[in-house]
Amino acid sequence: MAFSPENRKGTLSGIIFVAIFATAATFIAQLAPVHALGLSPLVIGIVMGIFYANTLHNKLPSEWETGITFSGKKILRFAIVLYGFRITFQQIAEVGMEGFLVSLIMLSTTFILGTWLGTNVFGMEKDTSMLTASGASVCGAAAVLATEPVLKAEGHKTAIAVSMVVLFGTISMFLYPVLYSAIIEPATGFLHMTPAQFGIYVGGTIHEVAQVVAVPASIPNAPEVMANSAVIVKMTRVIMIAPMLIVLGFYLSYVARKEGGAESAVKLVIPWFAVYFIGVAGFNSLHLIPEAIVANINIVDTFLLTMAMTALGMGTRFAKFKGLGLAPIYTALGMFVWLVVGGFIITKLITSFI
């Protein structure tokens, strides 16, 4: 349906409003104390958006809501596609079969565990459970954002999932260096890991890319192989978000057909933006674009992701959280324990026998 000039003006005003918030979030993320905590602009953006939603929401024109919605949906999909410029297939090949298997096993088991815990044990509805699981199993806030359009979930559910990523991802960022220095490095036998093994463990189990980078940097005299292994395995998990979303789309179609009969047979959910994401990563693997331009594309993409996250925060009212209680925390805690303990065991077994 065509927009009237007034509607177009309101939509544009809403987009600009979100962009102003995203600019502020980007600036705050660059401040030394905030940067040291590993908080990305995406996380800061959603916090600012939630603050707006629960304080000033009624003070601004309602016409701007279409622009906020546009930022949280259309801009989000475009930003996820551009995210492919952060990855090359060569990076995935570098880490070898060990890193690939750790990534695949931890992603699939964590997603299944989180969804099961949330829905069957702690009584959350399926969308929130899946969003929380996607953040823990793949790549934090960006994975939650990418999963949201496939599930067609409400913004407040996305905010819950992101908050769990922030909480337990931050704990991981401080916990892992202590584990390595106090237990893993001086240990002998099964508890010991080489720097390369520990890097695979970090990349295969910690939520956000920024947090993965921060862990080796926090360990005194950490060998370069630790940081390299961690980042490459993490990026392997990132690119796996596309096949995960495609599989999820087929699963949702199957469930809809099973529950709704013949009328639901055509409800196949294919997240085309995830397919395009793989295409962009493949194109990036050809190195046809100078690195400086790719770096600038990634800067723009981070800003667009921040806009999307901010817009989702702006749709989050605390009233919608009523009734959830501590279920999201219990669910995220269960996945966190699996990532730390189970991830260590999986990494040791795979790197020792392959």
Side-chain angles (χ1 to χ4, degrees):
M1 187 176 75
F3 285 112
S4 67
E6 292 78 12
N7 287 339
R8 286 197 296 270
K9 183 179 178 181
T11 299
L12 181 60
S13 297
I15 294 171
I16 293 173
F17 181 64
V18 173
I20 292 171
F21 266 65
T23 301
T26 301
F27 174 78
I28 293 171
Q30 293 172 348
L31 298 176
V34 179
H35 183 73
L37 293 174
L39 295 178
S40 68
L42 282 69
V43 171
I44 297 170
I46 197 170
V47 170
M48 294 176 64
I50 291 173
F51 176 80
Y52 156 81
N54 293 278
T55 54
L56 304 174
H57 173 71
N58 294 324
K59 305 293 183 182
L60 295 168
S62 59
E63 294 82 5
W64 292 14
E65 288 294 330
T66 55
I68 295 173
T69 301
F70 182 90
S71 299
K73 294 186 180 297
K74 302 296 184 182
I75 289 179
L76 166 60
R77 288 168 171 78
F78 181 64
I80 294 297
V81 172
L82 288 183
Y83 204 83
F85 278 106
R86 300 170 191 262
I87 302 165
T88 66
F89 294 156
Q90 291 91 331
Q91 289 175 324
I92 297 173
E94 280 179 30
V95 80
M97 186 57 67
E98 294 177 348
F100 174 79
L101 287 177
V102 170
S103 298
L104 178 62
I105 292 171
M106 294 312 301
L107 185 154
S108 55
T109 56
T110 304
F111 186 83
I112 292 170
L113 174 65
T115 302
W116 178 78
L117 284 176
T119 54
N120 292 23
V121 178
F122 299 120
M124 289 197 301
E125 46 77 42
K126 187 170 287 186
D127 283 357
T128 306
S129 301
M130 285 187 170
L131 287 169
T132 305
S134 70
S137 62
V138 189
C139 55
V144 176
L145 280 173
T147 308
E148 182 267 336
V150 179
L151 297 175
K152 299 177 181 176
E154 299 173 42
H156 75 280
K157 298 175 182 177
T158 303
I160 292 169
V162 170
S163 65
M164 294 303 99
V165 166
V166 174
L167 174 61
F168 289 98
T170 302
I171 292 173
S172 299
M173 190 173 62
F174 291 103
L175 175 64
Y176 277 59
V178 174
L179 287 177
Y180 182 77
S181 299
I183 300 175
I184 295 174
E185 184 182 29
T188 57
F190 189 78
L191 288 179
H192 177 75
M193 277 183 168
T194 66
Q197 285 177 316
F198 184 73
I200 293 174
Y201 171 49
V202 168
T205 58
I206 290 183
H207 300 60
E208 294 273 2
V209 175
Q211 294 160 351
V212 168
V213 173
V215 168
S218 303
I219 297 174
N221 303 315
E224 187 176 345
V225 66
M226 180 189 294
N228 291 344
S229 298
V231 171
I232 293 172
V233 171
K234 181 61 182 176
M235 297 317 289
T236 303
R237 281 171 70 198
V238 170
I239 201 170
M240 283 182 180
I241 192 172
M244 185 201 81
L245 293 179
I246 293 170
V247 171
L248 181 59
F250 278 99
Y251 168 75
L252 294 174
S253 175
Y254 168 77
V255 171
R257 186 167 59 250
K258 185 177 180 181
E259 295 179 351
E263 293 182 359
S264 300
V266 296
K267 292 183 179 179
L268 176 61
V269 182
I270 298 179
W272 288 108
F273 66 92
V275 178
Y276 302 147
F277 164 81
I278 294 178
V280 170
F283 175 76
N284 191 44
S285 303
L286 300 176
H287 300 292
L288 299 177
I289 300 179
E291 290 185 7
I293 295 179
V294 172
N296 287 328
I297 291 174
N298 290 337
I299 291 172
V300 172
D301 183 50
T302 298
F303 184 77
L304 294 177
L305 286 170
T306 303
M307 283 185 63
M309 188 70 87
T310 302
L312 291 172
M314 288 177 172
T316 302
R317 315 282 191 273
F318 287 139
K320 297 178 180 179
F321 288 74
K322 290 180 179 179
L324 281 172
L326 296 175
I329 293 180
Y330 292 150
T331 302
L333 176 61
M335 289 187 289
F336 175 72
V337 172
W338 167 245
L339 287 167
V340 174
V341 180
F344 182 91
I345 295 171
I346 295 295
T347 303
K348 282 291 294 187
L349 291 176
I350 288 177
T351 56
S352 297
F353 295 104
I354 291 183

